[in-house]
Amino acid sequence: FEVFDQICAEGLELLAIFHSHPSSEAYPSARDLELAFYPEAHYMIVSLMDEEPVCRTFRIMDGEVRETGFVLDKEG
């Protein structure tokens, strides 16, 4: 919670929350939906269940999941 307090105190914006799913697909789980307290944030989930990792991003608002995708800039 310290990080979120610091973001607020410094006037920063929470853009994304990242986590991995070691043995399931890159899609929000029921637990992820329960813990989605920041509707303005993108939720980036990386699945490690296959040999090649899969990364997907979502917005979660009022329990509704919408995939957003992401784009790397020229430097990324």
Side-chain angles (χ1 to χ4, degrees):
F1 293 106
E2 280 183 46
V3 171
F4 293 105
D5 290 341
Q6 185 176 358
I7 288 171
C8 187
E10 294 184 22
L12 300 174
E13 182 180 358
L14 175 66
L15 297 178
I17 297 171
F18 165 85
H19 71 281
S20 63
H21 285 186
S23 58
S24 62
E25 68 176 316
Y27 191 83
S29 67
R31 183 72 173 147
D32 294 335
L33 296 178
E34 288 175 22
L35 298 174
F37 299 125
Y38 302 93
E40 69 281 358
H42 292 265
Y43 290 83
M44 180 181 284
I45 302 173
V46 176
S47 172
L48 303 172
M49 67 183 228
D50 294 324
E51 189 173 315
E52 186 74 26
V54 174
C55 182
R56 295 168 68 191
T57 58
F58 305 88
R59 297 292 292 271
I60 304 171
M61 293 182 241
D62 299 323
E64 184 177 319
V65 177
R66 182 174 53 91
E67 188 162 5
T68 58
F70 59 94
V71 176
L72 294 176
D73 63 20
K74 291 179 184 179
E75 296 176 14

